[in-house]
Amino acid sequence: MKFSWKQFGIALCLFLAGYLTFNGKLFAQTPEKTKVAIAVGGKNLFYYLPLTIAEQLGYFKDEGLDVTISDFAGGAKALQALIGGSADVVSGAFEHTISMQAKNQHITAFVLQGRAPQIVMGVSNKTMPNYKSIADLKGKKIGVTAPGSSTSMMSNFVLAKGGLKPTDVSYIGVGASAGALSALRTGSIDVIVNLDPLITMMQHNNEIRIIADTRTLKDTNAVFGGPMPAATLYASADFIKKYPNTTQALTNAMVRALKWLQKAGPSDIVKAVPENYQLGDRALYIEAFMKVREALSPDGTIPDAGPKVALHALEAFDPELAGKNIDLSQTYTNEFVKKANAKYK
């Protein structure tokens, strides 16, 4: 039986179509869900700088995504948006994947933004000029971005190391911008737990005395005893399973942003970041960025030791984790990061 060239061409096309269908993993795939809602708590912070870069430089669009980012007062509020269904993905602290599993709600982190929390705890020089130890914080008012956020978690851990419980202090949500500055300056809070660029501004004005700092890898190890995963992109396990191509596209954009940040100079950062994030002082903003630069993940990979350190920190103060069998392997995946790094070498 003889085939014409036309028949051969048709047969070849059918073969290639079938090959691409069954071997699609070898090729770029279209996101199943192109419109994605991301919730974040404190978008102006360096903690979430990779997210801002991915948005500002158009990396999400390059991956075929139409991303909408909603900014909340803190990570706990962003998490509520995910649980409530108004957000598909959260740009938030890794610890939430653990605390939510304890409540039988499974969320998974799939790309790391920061390998150090960058969170700083400082006492007010106005209301606590004679501070000597953690014991002095009993009965004091502590300002965090939002109760239940990563800032309050870090504060709880520091308190626990000093012999205090969360109930020994009063937590007040002050956000991550002007509200936090106002609360400290008016004496509404005695302690602030926040991030840069706010912290560097307060240091410059001699408004706080730092008592715990996690802006560098060395300081993070000193506080937590090991690598502490910070900001991630996380979503429900169901979302990741249902939309693997969308999850991959999000990861690709974030890894690309992380790699851009590794090479970018201070002037590049200033140009890429919205002007209102810079608190009216570019020089101070750049200074603050240089303090946290090593805290940014170079490639989005969540270190295997990190989840154990995070669990240990939470267990130090969270009674809801008592007796719970947390499966850390379900709190994160590096599957998508590996593929993203292969794409953006």
Side-chain angles (χ1 to χ4, degrees):
M1 182 177 180
K2 294 183 179 180
F3 284 93
S4 67
W5 282 108
K6 182 177 181 181
Q7 290 173 314
F8 176 77
I10 293 173
L12 179 60
C13 288
L14 290 172
F15 169 77
L16 289 174
Y19 182 81
L20 289 172
T21 298
F22 289 104
N23 297 276
K25 291 183 179 180
L26 297 176
F27 300 86
Q29 295 181 320
T30 303
E32 305 91 348
K33 179 180 175 65
T34 56
K35 292 188 176 182
V36 180
I38 298 179
V40 60
K43 187 166 174 276
N44 62 300
L45 300 172
F46 287 124
Y47 192 82
Y48 300 117
L49 182 59
L51 176 72
T52 296
I53 295 301
E55 177 192 35
Q56 293 294 315
L57 299 187
Y59 293 165
F60 290 124
K61 290 182 179 179
D62 289 348
E63 296 293 336
L65 298 174
D66 179 7
V67 168
T68 301
I69 300 175
S70 299
D71 196 12
F72 294 85
K77 299 293 184 181
L79 173 61
Q80 288 174 11
L82 179 74
I83 301 303
S86 61
D88 302 303
V89 176
V90 172
S91 178
F94 172 78
E95 307 99 274
H96 292 302
T97 66
I98 297 174
S99 59
M100 293 308 293
Q101 188 182 133
K103 299 175 182 177
N104 293 317
Q105 296 197 49
H106 295 275
I107 58 178
T108 303
F110 55 87
V111 59
L112 183 70
Q113 297 182 66
R115 53 183 179 172
Q118 306 173 38
I119 301 171
V120 177
M121 188 174 191
V123 296
S124 169
N125 286 331
K126 179 177 182 178
T127 66
M128 297 193 69
N130 299 316
Y131 169 85
K132 293 181 180 178
S133 70
I134 295 296
D136 295 335
L137 301 184
K138 189 170 184 178
K140 300 299 182 180
K141 293 171 289 185
I142 300 181
V144 294
T145 53
S149 64
S150 58
T151 49
S152 60
M153 290 180 184
M154 189 266 204
S155 177
N156 284 337
F157 183 68
V158 173
L159 292 177
K161 289 176 69 177
L164 296 182
K165 296 177 292 185
T167 52
D168 289 327
V169 300
S170 297
Y171 280 117
I172 300 174
V174 297
S177 54
L181 286 170
S182 177
L184 183 82
R185 290 171 177 172
T186 59
S188 299
I189 57 175
D190 305 295
V191 184
I192 188 158
V193 188
N194 221 290
L195 304 92
D196 269 326
L198 283 176
I199 292 296
T200 294
M201 174 177 281
M202 293 175 183
Q203 282 184 281
H204 262 263
N205 296 330
N206 196 32
E207 294 175 289
I208 58 173
R209 175 182 172 187
I210 292 177
I211 60 175
D213 196 338
T214 62
R215 286 177 288 186
T216 68
L217 297 180
K218 180 180 179 181
D219 288 337
T220 297
N221 286 335
V223 172
F224 292 106
M228 182 69 170
T232 65
L233 285 193
Y234 65 70
S236 69
D238 290 339
F239 178 93
I240 295 173
K241 183 178 181 180
K242 186 176 181 179
Y243 305 115
N245 295 346
T246 301
T247 304
Q248 186 64 62
L250 288 165
T251 306
N252 289 347
M254 293 300 293
V255 167
R256 189 178 174 190
L258 289 167
K259 291 183 178 294
W260 183 88
L261 281 164
Q262 292 299 307
K263 297 179 180 180
S267 60
D268 298 318
I269 302 297
V270 169
K271 290 177 183 177
V273 172
E275 189 173 349
N276 63 313
Y277 287 14
Q278 300 171 33
L279 302 178
D281 191 331
R282 286 190 176 186
L284 184 143
Y285 187 82
I286 291 172
E287 178 185 340
F289 169 70
M290 297 308 292
K291 288 182 180 179
V292 303
R293 186 164 197 165
E294 79 163 341
L296 298 173
S297 172
D299 59 9
T301 302
I302 299 171
D304 289 335
K308 296 178 183 178
V309 174
L311 176 59
H312 173 70
L314 290 174
E315 288 176 333
F317 63 85
D318 190 348
E320 290 191 11
L321 287 171
K324 296 291 177 67
N325 184 23
I326 302 297
D327 184 355
L328 292 176
S329 69
Q330 299 300 310
T331 62
Y332 75 105
T333 176
N334 283 320
E335 172 189 351
F336 300 98
V337 167
K338 290 177 181 177
K339 294 177 182 178
N341 276 283
K343 180 175 182 178
Y344 294 110
K345 293 182 179 178

